[in-house]
Every structure is written in C-alpha cells, then in structure tokens.
Amino acid sequence: MSDLHARMAARVGDLTAVVVARCAAEAPFYGGLPPATLQGEVARSIAAVHSLLLRALRDGRGGPMGPGDLTRLIEWSARRAEERVPLEAVIAAYLIGAEVWWQTLTEVAEPGELAGAGGKLLACLHAALPAVVLAHQNAQEDLHSEDKRVRRALLGALLAGRPYEELAGVARVAVVGEYEVVAFAFESDPPSRLVQSSLDAFTGIPVLMDHVARIALLPGRSDVPGLVARLEKDVGQPVRAAAARSSVPAAISSAAQEAGRVLDLVRRLGRPPGCYRLDDVLLEHQLARPGDGLVRLAAKLDPLEEHPYLLETLRVFVERGLNRRQTALELCVHRNTLDYRLQRVSALTGLDLAVPAQARLIQAALVARDLAGPADHRGVSGWQGSAGAAESG
C-alpha cells in the first residue's frame, strides 16, 4: 500500500461529505432529495466510487478500471436509472466527485506523486463515463418502453370502460376529474413521436394517446381548438379533430364513442379542417341514422344528378346561408345567372327555395346525399363549361 493511498484513504469520509454537499447545492435533482436520502443512499454510492479510485491508487494501475470495477459501475448506473435519477444528474455527480478528488490529491500528494495520481483519475473517468452513460441509457429505454406499454394499457382500459385503477397506479398517472377525449384525422400519417411531442408541449404534461386509433385523452377543460392549431403547425398539414367532454373517468368510454362518431361525420361530409363537437353537427348526426328516411331524403336531389353544375350551385348557396350575393361572388357568375340556376333547381326537384320549409328540406337533402353515398364534388373549373352550354341551350 503506497503512502498516497493511505493519505487519501484517511480523507475518504470527508471527501464523501463534501461531494454530497456540492451535489445538493449544484445539481437540482439532488437538491430536491430529502436529507436522509442524501446522507444514506447517495453518500453510500459516492463512497463506493471512492473505493474504486482508492483501489486504483493502491494497485498502481495506470490504465482503465478492471472488468469487475466496470461491472459494479454499470450495475449502479442501471439502478439509478430504475430509480428515475436523470442521466445529467448522474454525470454531474461523477464530475463533482472527480473535481473534489483532484483537489484533495493536490493537498496530500507529494510533487512527484501528483502526475501519476492525476493520470489514474483521468484513466478511470475515461473508462467509467462511457460505460455509465450507456448503461443508464439502456435502462432508461427499457423503462420508457415499459412505461409506454403500461400507459397504452391504461388508455385502452379507459376507452373500453374497463377497470383502470391498478394500471393507473403502475403508470403513476392520477385519473381524476374531467377529460377531453379527442379523435384526430390527418391527411397523411405524421410520425407518432412528432404528434406526441406536440401534444405534450401544448399541455405541459405527457398526454395519453393511442397513435393507432388516433385518439387522445386531455385532462381538464383543455383548449382543444388551440391544440389543433398548434398540431397543424407542428405536423405541417391540415388536421380534423372531434372532441367530447367526460365529466368523470367512468364516462371516458362513451365520450370516445361520441368523438369517433363526430369525426366520422365530419370526414364524410367533407368539412374543412378544425375542431368539431356534437353540437356542430347535430342535424347531420340525426340524419345519419340508417333507414329508409335517409335514402328518401337524399333522393330528393336525384333530378340534379345529370346537372352537376346545378348541384354545385345549390351546395354553395346553402353553404353561404342562402345569400345570393355571396354565392354569385364565389361562383364568379352574374346574379341573373344564379337566379336562373336556382329556378332550374326548383323546377327539377319540385322544391321552392323561397319557401322556408322547403329550403330546409333541400338543406337536409344535401346532407343526406353526402351521408348516403359518394357524390359529385367537382369544382367550379370542372363543371363551368357544361354549365355555360346548358344555360345557352
């Protein structure tokens, strides 16, 4: 045993106390730990690393730590990851410990001993830190995978109306109070990680989301329209979303079904991107009930099947709240041309748009037509030529 080893061994107790105090003062994670944990488990871990450094001094090794030493470091690092200690906190503790060790070496080493002792310290750090980082990251990945599995199971139980309390405990998620259940539809599939990151950043918490079913659970009365706008910006594409509120966790399943029905309606009706609730499509929701009534209602517009420009004119007229001026501007036609087309619609269907009850029937028939099956949604440029020919004939 060298004299330097003996001198450093005599200081180990004080060294450990200094490192613990500095970790608590300089690393936020350790600063938030109870004093009993700092003086107990944290101090024991630091003392164990000091024992490895002392062994390097005693054995006179100038190279990396031995396989047994590295194995112990890897085991400790994996344990820290399992205890949810952040990697940056672990690295900070190692660097603080190395600094304190070096400062103590400068105090107790003879001039001829310092260079060799410093070399041993650097060699140990060079061997230890990569192994510690890799072990910690591997353990974190395993934990993250398990966390995701449990969170998926928890969300699945909530959406299906099954018991969820045990899963919530394992996932460390408090399932209480109100929730917004939101179903999403994207034009193309964005990366799941990008969607998850956007939701988490907007809400400030990890959001429970099923990335296959595209349905998320947001706690409280979240700003769903704001979230959809943020998501559109982050994923770089339009987003349709349907939201339903659940006042208690037991109602999440029924809220999810409602959100799914609303989103299905929005997509079938070709509504623009944005956020929708049941109140936004109440009439459409009622009309979507299967039966002869829906088919017969849609058939009211069958006479317009061979006149797509009339059907498109009617659709724009209804979408513009029966406002003739706005309709003419959007279609880029003269008011007289618009009046002629609307008269043709009335003549072919037998429904007078000037009669409020019949106008409402035509509006409902348009919805029924969209719901009952595929419709001709050609744009203005696609039917304008045939419209001019028909109107001049």
Side-chain angles (χ1 to χ4, degrees):
M1 180 182 297
S2 70
D3 289 341
L4 178 58
H5 173 276
R7 293 193 296 273
M8 288 296 291
R11 301 282 295 271
V12 163
D14 294 336
L15 283 176
T16 299
V18 171
V19 174
V20 170
R22 284 193 54 183
C23 285
E26 300 174 22
F29 173 81
Y30 291 108
L33 293 177
T37 302
L38 287 170
Q39 301 304 323
E41 187 175 347
V42 173
R44 285 193 295 273
S45 296
I46 293 171
V49 174
H50 285 158
S51 295
L52 296 181
L53 292 173
L54 282 173
R55 190 176 303 123
L57 285 178
R58 183 194 64 194
D59 296 346
R61 288 198 303 265
M65 294 180 176
D69 296 333
L70 286 176
T71 298
R72 281 188 287 275
L73 287 178
I74 288 171
E75 290 175 352
W76 294 338
S77 185
R79 195 177 307 135
R80 296 293 85 80
E82 292 170 358
E83 294 166 354
R84 312 288 172 165
V85 179
L87 178 57
E88 57 268 26
V90 172
I91 298 301
Y94 270 92
L95 294 179
I96 290 171
E99 184 180 342
V100 172
W101 184 267
W102 171 251
Q103 288 173 344
T104 306
L105 280 173
T106 63
E107 295 170 5
V108 304
E110 299 294 336
E113 297 172 324
L114 193 57
K120 291 180 175 65
L121 173 61
L122 289 176
C124 288
L125 285 175
H126 183 76
L129 286 182
V132 165
V133 170
L134 182 60
H136 199 98
Q137 288 178 334
N138 287 340
Q140 282 185 323
E141 288 178 5
D142 291 342
L143 287 171
H144 187 56
S145 297
E146 178 62 16
D147 286 346
K148 289 198 297 185
R149 185 193 68 78
V150 174
R151 289 168 68 84
R152 282 197 302 268
L154 171 60
L155 180 57
L158 289 167
L159 294 177
R162 300 193 303 267
Y164 62 86
E165 290 81 3
E166 183 176 349
L167 287 168
V170 175
R172 300 182 302 283
V173 174
V175 181
V176 293
E178 291 184 314
Y179 285 88
E180 292 281 7
V181 184
V182 187
F184 297 96
F186 302 94
E187 289 193 352
S188 60
D189 288 337
S192 297
R193 181 172 297 179
L194 178 59
V195 174
Q196 186 71 53
S197 298
S198 179
L199 298 182
D200 293 350
F202 186 86
T203 60
I205 60 171
V207 172
L208 290 173
M209 179 163 183
D210 184 332
H211 290 278
V212 176
R214 300 295 195 194
I215 192 162
L217 197 59
L218 310 177
R221 292 176 174 262
S222 301
D223 176 15
V224 183
L227 180 145
V228 172
R230 168 68 177 268
L231 187 57
E232 285 187 325
K233 182 178 179 180
D234 289 345
V235 303
Q237 60 174 284
V239 177
R240 290 179 177 84
R245 185 171 293 118
S246 165
S247 58
V248 292
I252 288 174
S253 178
S254 58
Q257 294 175 28
E258 178 181 310
R261 290 194 298 268
V262 171
L263 184 60
D264 179 62
L265 276 174
V266 167
R267 299 179 70 179
R268 290 168 63 187
L269 293 167
R271 293 291 177 87
C275 180
Y276 296 84
R277 293 184 182 273
L278 181 57
D279 284 351
D280 299 317
V281 289
L282 271 178
L283 174 63
E284 294 85 349
H285 179 266
Q286 198 63 27
L287 289 173
R289 295 179 179 274
D292 293 341
L294 182 65
V295 176
R296 291 180 64 179
L297 188 56
K300 294 289 185 181
L301 300 183
D302 281 354
L304 304 182
E305 189 68 39
E306 297 181 0
H307 307 278
Y309 73 97
L310 292 180
L311 187 60
E312 184 65 15
T313 297
L314 177 61
R315 185 180 299 280
V316 174
F317 185 55
V318 168
E319 289 175 353
R320 293 296 168 267
L322 309 185
N323 186 304
R324 292 175 184 259
R325 177 177 173 278
Q326 291 183 8
T327 303
L329 286 174
E330 178 161 336
L331 294 174
C332 299
V333 299
H334 193 275
R335 281 284 297 272
N336 291 340
T337 300
L338 175 63
D339 291 341
Y340 169 77
R341 293 182 181 179
L342 295 177
Q343 290 169 8
R344 289 271 288 155
V345 168
S346 295
L348 289 170
T349 63
L351 298 171
D352 189 348
L353 285 162
V355 178
Q358 295 186 27
R360 289 195 296 271
L361 185 61
I362 284 182
Q363 289 176 281
L366 272 173
V367 174
R369 179 182 174 85
D370 290 338
L371 294 173
D376 187 348
H377 292 294
R378 286 178 292 177
V380 172
S381 61
W383 51 259
Q384 205 166 31
S386 61
E391 288 164 7
S392 63

